[in-house]
Amino acid sequence: MLKSKHGNAKYTVADIERQAGLEPTPQNRQERQGPERQGPERQGPATPHPEDNAVPEQLILDTDGDQDFEMSDVVSEVQIESISNYLAEQRMAVDPISPQSYTIPQSMLSEQDVSTDKTVFVVDTNFLISHLNTLEELRKLAGQFNHIIVAPITTVRELDGLKLASDKSIAKLARHANEWLFKNLGDRSSGLVGQRLKERINPSASKDDAILDCCLYLQQKLNHKLVILLSNDKNLCAKALSEGMLTVSYRPGMTAQLISQMAYSESISLGNATPSPQFSKLDFHEVANKIFNDIQAMVITIVDHIMNKSYGEDIIAINYDPKNMKDLNDVARVISKFWLSVFSDYFDRNSMRKEDWKELPSQMVTVPNSSSDLNTFLGFWEGILLKLNRDLGENDQHVVQAAIAEWKQYIDLV
């Protein structure tokens, strides 16, 4: 990896700012103060199984300073959702950030040459805690795919408080994330920068809005940048989507390579980057498996939601068990069985009938093996999802629409 001509030192978004001609003023250079430690005030939600809530065994940090981090992501969707919910509760409980209560270390305010055509990933606290290995791989790919990762003030502050969280597994994850964050903020060539207090549109914004404000600041002040929010918070992602911003949330099969290539392709389409010899197409089978798994998980979730909404407390009196709905064939059987009482209202007579659901074509319920099959598979389930999501909340509808757009982008990359 190439070293900066200025040596190793901490730096911030100000380095990007300078490239856009937005020079910081002397009064913004504050003396270093330790971040205010604000521990959680509420307990996080209980998790169903101890193994779902366990910190990955491989997540071990080397503290000698000379070795790389050995890390892994949280892969349990139950734990990922639990972490996201826990952090959302803590975000509601703590006081808003203010210039008096938090400052960025002086050593982060140093000069860095950053090209103005870089894609910017803004990382939320829940994503940083749950997917540290993915972020490390994303950081390593920064030079190849011309991107940079930004840690908002709120993320840095929340991590510091969560090190003392009453939930010990989250506290441990937060300590690992905090070590990773500050180790890489100390290296100008790392591909990671931090936000300063000055770098805000609305200084009074707090919590979710402060993360979104960081994204908007980068989007509006650095209008040649593609800004992408990395977050598992559905409400925050919905806000970002409503501002026309791309978001990335965890889905099975998600990798740093996939995220990087999708972002790079988007950057090319926007004219911010040109195809590079380093850029390569995604592996078809990897993309097909990811799209299949994403769609299967989403359809199962929505069908179960519809069943519970339709029957309410009476659902225990009917022959329905969501645990038996494990794949798309099971989904088809549920829709067929409860067609008249529930699902017929979601489909036009000329689109789908009960008989159609009794046995779907194999290419609609198995992983596609060709580009033609993949497009057919996505086209079919896109139509189904758009019909079934009509009764979802606005935020969940945004999530479905964003996922469909993301799948289409993946297909463009194979």
Side-chain angles (χ1 to χ4, degrees):
M1 183 180 291
L2 294 176
K3 295 293 183 181
S4 167
K5 63 183 178 182
H6 301 291
N8 289 336
K10 294 181 180 178
Y11 62 100
T12 71
V13 177
D15 305 320
I16 306 176
E17 211 175 31
R18 287 188 178 90
Q19 299 302 311
L22 303 172
E23 200 67 31
T25 58
Q27 57 264 38
N28 296 117
R29 303 181 180 277
Q30 301 168 313
E31 292 297 319
R32 175 168 183 164
Q33 300 176 14
E36 176 186 339
R37 291 195 174 188
Q38 183 128 16
E41 298 178 15
R42 300 182 188 177
Q43 275 294 117
T47 52
H49 303 290
E51 60 269 23
D52 285 332
N53 199 39
V55 177
E57 293 290 339
Q58 308 96 303
L59 195 54
I60 302 169
L61 293 178
D62 177 86
T63 55
D64 295 334
D66 297 324
Q67 302 294 325
D68 291 334
F69 294 107
E70 183 180 352
M71 298 171 288
S72 72
D73 289 345
V74 176
V75 295
S76 164
E77 293 187 61
V78 173
Q79 189 191 6
I80 289 168
E81 184 175 1
S82 176
I83 290 172
S84 184
N85 290 340
Y86 183 97
L87 294 180
E89 287 192 10
Q90 301 314 312
R91 192 168 282 174
M92 293 300 295
V94 300
D95 294 328
I97 188 170
S98 66
Q100 290 74 32
S101 66
Y102 187 79
T103 57
I104 296 293
Q106 176 74 19
S107 58
M108 292 172 69
L109 309 179
S110 56
E111 205 166 321
Q112 157 95 357
D113 293 329
V114 178
S115 173
T116 57
D117 64 355
K118 285 186 181 294
T119 295
V120 180
F121 291 106
V122 177
V123 60
D124 193 9
T125 314
N126 54 62
F127 198 97
L128 180 53
I129 286 179
S130 300
H131 313 298
L132 192 56
N133 184 62
T134 296
L135 283 172
E136 170 65 6
E137 294 303 314
L138 194 66
R139 183 192 68 77
K140 291 178 180 178
L141 292 170
Q144 180 180 348
F145 290 98
N146 199 35
H147 62 243
I148 197 163
I149 302 170
V150 172
I153 296 168
T154 296
T155 294
V156 179
R157 179 177 185 253
E158 287 179 339
L159 273 180
D160 196 64
L162 287 168
K163 291 187 297 184
L164 303 177
S166 56
D167 185 312
K168 300 304 181 185
S169 61
I170 289 181
K172 187 173 183 179
L173 290 169
R175 288 194 296 272
H176 295 329
N178 198 64
E179 290 289 339
W180 176 85
L181 186 70
F182 280 98
K183 174 181 178 178
N184 288 299
L185 283 173
D187 181 354
R188 286 195 188 137
S189 63
S190 70
L192 175 70
V193 298
Q195 179 195 18
R196 290 189 310 158
L197 289 172
K198 172 184 178 291
E199 296 157 345
R200 297 184 293 175
I201 295 174
N202 178 11
S204 64
S206 63
K207 305 170 184 176
D208 280 1
D209 291 339
I211 302 285
L212 182 60
D213 185 84
C214 178
C215 297
L216 293 174
Y217 179 89
L218 290 163
Q219 190 180 60
Q220 294 178 17
K221 297 296 183 179
L222 306 172
N223 57 356
H224 294 294
K225 300 292 184 294
L226 172 62
V227 181
I228 301 174
L229 173 66
L230 304 177
S231 176
N232 293 326
D233 186 323
K234 291 181 180 179
N235 290 330
L236 178 55
C237 287
K239 290 179 182 179
L241 289 168
S242 68
E243 295 288 345
M245 196 171 301
L246 294 178
T247 67
V248 172
S249 301
Y250 172 78
R251 290 188 181 90
M254 179 186 74
T255 66
Q257 187 79 13
L258 282 171
I259 295 171
S260 298
Q261 291 189 286
M262 185 181 72
Y264 193 77
S265 177
E266 181 71 15
S267 184
I268 291 173
S269 69
L270 294 174
N272 290 342
T274 55
S276 164
Q278 294 176 306
F279 179 73
S280 59
K281 292 288 187 178
L282 295 179
D283 177 75
F284 170 80
H285 294 291
E286 186 177 3
V287 170
N289 274 283
K290 173 175 173 50
I291 291 175
F292 177 85
N293 289 329
D294 284 358
I295 287 177
Q296 182 168 266
M298 184 173 288
V299 172
I300 289 173
T301 299
I302 292 176
V303 167
D304 182 55
H305 169 81
I306 292 172
M307 288 294 294
N308 280 280
K309 178 178 180 295
S310 300
Y311 284 96
E313 295 180 356
D314 294 334
I315 199 166
I316 61 175
I318 64 173
N319 186 20
Y320 169 74
D321 185 350
K323 293 180 181 178
N324 294 330
M325 195 162 47
K326 299 178 180 178
D327 58 32
L328 294 175
N329 279 313
D330 295 334
V331 168
R333 281 190 284 270
V334 169
I335 293 177
S336 175
K337 180 176 180 178
F338 297 96
W339 178 258
L340 290 177
S341 58
V342 178
F343 294 100
S344 60
D345 290 341
Y346 289 85
F347 298 93
D348 300 329
R349 289 187 176 183
N350 295 328
S351 59
M352 294 288 288
R353 299 171 300 172
K354 178 179 179 178
E355 291 73 20
D356 297 326
W357 289 101
K358 287 183 177 179
E359 188 174 354
L360 291 176
S362 62
Q363 66 186 113
M364 302 306 173
V365 293
T366 56
V367 178
N369 290 316
S370 69
S371 295
S372 175
D373 286 348
L374 181 56
N375 280 289
T376 301
F377 176 85
L378 177 56
F380 174 79
W381 287 109
E382 175 187 355
I384 300 302
L385 284 167
L386 292 177
K387 290 179 184 297
L388 294 178
N389 81 345
R390 73 181 190 193
D391 293 332
L392 299 180
E394 183 178 351
N395 289 348
D396 287 329
Q397 289 183 0
H398 278 304
V399 170
V400 172
Q401 291 163 3
I404 291 171
E406 180 183 286
W407 298 329
K408 291 180 177 178
Q409 284 183 319
Y410 280 133
I411 289 178
D412 289 341
L413 290 172
V414 297

